[in-house]
Amino acid sequence: MMQFAQAAFSNAKGQEFYKLLGTGRDGFDPKPDFGVYAVLQVWKSEEAANDFFNNARIIKKYRKKAAECYQIFMRNIVARGKWDGQNPFRKSDDLDDTLTYAVITRATIKTRFLLRFWGFVPKSQQDLKTNTGLLFTKGIGEIPFKNMATFSLWKDLDSLNKFAYQTEGHVKAIGKTRELGWYSEELFSRFQPYRSSGSWFGGNPLEKV
């Protein structure tokens, strides 16, 4: 229902960008999690998104087959880099004082660095376990091992910055990226979550704030 859903998503009215994504196991394990899938979409308007989620046959099929569905609406704060040759995210004009942050990072790893990169991942992510500001995280991607992405929710900017720029493992990972250039393409983006529906393991990660 993912592989053969391209036509249903590519023809969605009012949609500017989309990706059908698999997910990895907990702890940024590159092995696929065959129980969880994700869809990333960029819309011209919230009305177009609502129409798709309420009426699209593919969404109705997903909901019928799934034990749980969780949707989150976000406004872009900043996005740097490219995804398949383009930056699909434009800064929103409707940002407010909400403290919660969402982050999407995405990269295509050069083939010659695959083993070295995944060998370094556990060290770069170990400080996540002790960061009380992390509300949710999941590895996502188009192609296992090679197209790596993460989605995470954070209680506030301080918690996010502490992990990104002050934890030893992640700072070393940033240094390795600059030293080796192990990505052929990368994108870093921050968002403001403002609406959600459904549940994740019976709850809503945003309600932990």
Side-chain angles (χ1 to χ4, degrees):
M1 293 184 70
M2 299 295 288
Q3 180 180 356
F4 299 108
Q6 298 290 347
F9 283 95
S10 63
N11 294 322
K13 185 178 179 180
Q15 177 185 256
E16 297 181 336
F17 179 86
Y18 81 97
K19 286 292 177 181
L20 300 177
L21 304 165
T23 72
R25 300 179 187 178
D26 290 344
F28 294 97
D29 188 329
K31 300 183 185 68
D33 179 350
F34 292 111
V36 179
Y37 294 86
V39 183
L40 170 67
Q41 294 168 283
V42 178
W43 296 93
K44 293 180 179 178
S45 68
E46 189 166 346
E47 291 75 20
N50 289 333
D51 180 65
F52 181 79
F53 295 139
N54 292 331
N55 301 306
R57 291 178 61 187
I58 189 65
I59 297 299
K60 292 178 180 178
K61 287 182 179 181
Y62 283 172
R63 287 178 175 152
K64 184 178 179 180
K65 297 287 186 180
E68 262 189 326
C69 291
Y70 182 65
Q71 292 176 314
I72 185 165
F73 287 71
M74 307 182 295
R75 301 183 179 104
N76 183 253
I77 299 171
V78 64
R80 297 188 295 270
K82 293 184 178 182
W83 191 323
D84 283 349
Q86 63 175 305
N87 187 335
F89 307 121
R90 295 191 305 274
K91 183 177 180 178
S92 173
D93 296 324
D94 297 318
L95 300 173
D96 55 35
D97 295 328
T98 302
L99 295 177
T100 311
Y101 276 72
V103 175
I104 294 177
T105 61
R106 186 266 183 186
T108 298
I109 306 163
K110 295 177 182 177
T111 302
R112 67 181 182 275
F113 289 126
L114 284 173
L115 290 178
R116 194 169 182 180
F117 173 85
W118 286 110
F120 197 82
V121 164
K123 296 178 182 178
S124 69
Q125 305 298 319
Q126 60 187 4
D127 292 299
L128 282 175
K129 299 176 182 178
T130 58
N131 192 315
T132 57
L134 177 67
L135 302 174
F136 174 85
T137 186
K138 187 70 171 173
I140 54 178
E142 303 126 281
I143 302 174
F145 301 102
K146 189 168 180 64
N147 289 126
M148 181 276 300
T150 62
F151 174 74
S152 55
L153 296 173
W154 298 85
K155 182 171 63 176
D156 52 44
L157 183 59
D158 287 343
S159 299
L160 169 57
N161 285 339
K162 181 180 178 181
F163 170 72
Y165 305 118
Q166 298 177 27
T167 55
E168 182 180 359
H170 196 259
V171 170
K172 284 185 177 179
I174 294 173
K176 285 291 184 182
T177 299
R178 293 170 179 168
E179 174 190 347
L180 300 175
W182 51 25
Y183 302 143
S184 60
E185 184 180 63
E186 61 181 317
L187 181 141
F188 172 81
S189 50
R190 292 184 177 184
F191 301 86
Q192 184 177 86
Y194 68 94
R195 173 185 159 196
S196 64
S197 63
S199 64
W200 179 266
F201 283 100
N204 182 350
L206 291 175
E207 292 179 351
K208 297 178 183 179
V209 178

